[in-house]
């Protein structure tokens, strides 16, 4: 287990916060919304433009114009963003801002199937962005076996709201536990609990602040861990310099989101 405090500069943190909200929820990456609504394009842009997601009947031409190489995964779903919703045109609608606040996870690279708890290589996916791969490889070095390089193949982005927590669990679906999970903290600080190989073991508690990175490899992969709380109260704010990066009007929605939320990007080598 490696704890690297302050691993990212404020500018780097700002970049990855923006990517986590704007780019990472984009299809073919899947989110917790995908099962209900199908692939959702442009969620954050829809928030900025006060749009709502509506369900309507799609025409054949609309399906053909969907911006995706594999259109077959889109045809059963008939949801898209619009400026308004009427009873005549939609039977279900939800504000984009509500969807953003209810975003809990997105998956990059090889897609993780939460229902089966494994990686489904048959699902459409893109490679993890090069910049994130480079960062993960660099940060993983202390935990890597001699002469080996970390190969980022999948990432899970967790989004924590004000009352969210992550119960004690193991990350045990990757083939080789000697390779680390690279875990990046962004936004509000959190309590991280590192336990033992049994849930009965007393955990060690520590703060994770924005820009901190944790590596878990080898025996640490066999330890239960979780996040019981994030701190959103004003008296606990200790990332004012980070917030100042989002001071202009164009970044209003990023600033409002991150001041009461935490984002965790954890990158894995699957094989």
């Amino acid at each position: 287990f490696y704890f690297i405090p302050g691993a990212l500069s404020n500018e780097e943190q700002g970049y990855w916060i923006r990517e986590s909200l704007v780019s990472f929820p984009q299809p073919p990456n899947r989110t917790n919304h995908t099962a209900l609504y199908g692939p959702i394009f442009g969620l954050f842009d829809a928030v900025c433009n006060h749009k709502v997601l509506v369900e309507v009947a799609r025409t054949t031409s609309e399906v053909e114009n969907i911006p995706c190489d594999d259109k077959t995964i889109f045809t059963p779903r008939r949801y898209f963003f619009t400026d308004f919703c009427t009873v005549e045109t939609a039977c279900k609608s939800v504000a984009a801002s509500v969807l953003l606040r209810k975003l809990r996870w997105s998956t990059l690279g090889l897609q993780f199937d939460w229902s089966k708890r494994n990686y489904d290589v048959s699902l459409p996916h893109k490679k993890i962005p090069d910049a994130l791969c480079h960062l993960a490889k660099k940060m993983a070095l202390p935990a890597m076996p001699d002469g080996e390089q970390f190969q980022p193949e999948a990432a899970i982005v967790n989004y924590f709201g004000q009352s969210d927590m992550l119960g004690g669990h193991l990350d045990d679906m990757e083939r080789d536990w000697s390779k680390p999970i690279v875990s990046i903290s962004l936004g509000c600080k959190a309590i991280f609990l590192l336990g033992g190989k049994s849930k009965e073991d007393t955990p060690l508690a520590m703060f994770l602040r924005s820009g901190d990175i944790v590596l878990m490899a080898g025996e640490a992969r066999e330890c239960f861990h979780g996040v019981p709380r994030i701190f959103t109260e004003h008296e606990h704010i200790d990332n004012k310099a980070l917030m100042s990066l989002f001071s202009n009007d164009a970044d209003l929605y990023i600033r409002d989101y991150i001041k009461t939320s935490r984002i965790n990007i954890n990158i894995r080598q699957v094989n």
Side-chain angles (χ1 to χ4, degrees), residues 16 127-135:
W16 293 116
K127 291 181 62 178
I128 293 178
D130 289 343
L132 188 58
C133 283
H134 176 75
L135 174 63

Side-chain angles (χ1 to χ4, degrees), residues 149-194:
Q149 186 179 63
F150 185 62
Q151 300 299 327
E153 295 174 299
I156 299 174
V157 186
N158 295 309
Y159 303 85
F160 294 81
Q162 288 179 293
S163 59
D164 290 336
M165 60 171 288
L166 184 62
H169 66 284
L170 297 176
D171 295 306
D172 56 1
M173 299 311 300
E174 290 75 35
R175 184 173 298 176
D176 185 354
W177 290 8
S178 71
K179 305 302 188 297
I181 289 178
V182 180
S183 180
I184 304 170
S185 290
L186 301 166
C188 292
K189 72 180 178 183
I191 293 177
F192 178 79
L193 297 180
L194 176 64

Side-chain angles (χ1 to χ4, degrees), residues 2-226:
Y2 297 79
F3 173 48
I4 312 173
L8 301 182
S9 68
N10 286 324
E11 289 72 20
E12 289 173 310
Q13 294 170 51
Y15 175 82
W16 293 116
I17 288 170
R18 189 183 303 276
E19 287 293 284
S20 296
L21 295 176
V22 178
S23 300
F24 292 167
Q26 286 279 80
N29 298 339
R30 299 168 69 84
T31 76
N32 56 295
H33 295 317
T34 304
L36 181 59
Y37 299 108
I40 298 176
F41 288 92
L43 173 58
F44 194 79
D45 182 67
V47 172
C48 297
N49 290 284
H50 309 286
K51 292 182 179 293
V52 295
L53 190 73
V54 298
E55 181 185 34
V56 298
R58 274 191 183 141
T59 66
T60 302
S61 61
E62 286 174 329
V63 172
E64 290 175 348
N65 289 328
I66 290 173
C68 179
D69 293 335
D70 186 1
K71 293 179 172 52
T72 59
I73 67 171
F74 289 87
T75 53
R77 301 297 182 177
R78 295 171 177 169
Y79 292 89
F80 68 94
F81 287 114
T82 185
D83 294 321
F84 59 89
C85 174
T86 66
V87 175
E88 291 75 21
T89 60
C91 60
K92 186 180 295 184
S93 67
V94 59
S97 59
V98 172
L99 288 173
L100 181 65
R101 282 297 175 184
K102 291 185 175 181
L103 185 65
R104 291 296 173 265
W105 55 263
S106 61
T107 47
L108 285 61
L110 293 177
Q111 298 292 290
F112 190 78
D113 187 329
W114 294 90
S115 62
K116 299 178 181 178
R117 283 190 52 78
N118 64 19
Y119 292 94
D120 188 345
V121 296
S122 68
L123 291 173
H125 64 276
K126 293 181 179 179
K127 291 181 62 178
I128 293 178
D130 289 343
L132 188 58
C133 283
H134 176 75
L135 174 63
K137 288 180 178 181
K138 182 176 73 172
M139 292 299 169
L141 283 174
M144 286 298 295
D146 289 343
E148 295 189 37
Q149 186 179 63
F150 185 62
Q151 300 299 327
E153 295 174 299
I156 299 174
V157 186
N158 295 309
Y159 303 85
F160 294 81
Q162 288 179 293
S163 59
D164 290 336
M165 60 171 288
L166 184 62
H169 66 284
L170 297 176
D171 295 306
D172 56 1
M173 299 311 300
E174 290 75 35
R175 184 173 298 176
D176 185 354
W177 290 8
S178 71
K179 305 302 188 297
I181 289 178
V182 180
S183 180
I184 304 170
S185 290
L186 301 166
C188 292
K189 72 180 178 183
I191 293 177
F192 178 79
L193 297 180
L194 176 64
K197 296 182 181 181
S198 167
K199 284 191 174 182
E200 305 304 317
D201 295 335
T202 302
L204 172 68
M206 64 193 80
F207 283 127
L208 290 181
R209 295 178 169 84
S210 193
D212 293 348
I213 287 181
V214 161
L215 310 176
M216 297 185 72
E219 289 192 18
R221 292 288 298 269
E222 302 176 44
C223 294
F224 285 90
H225 55 281

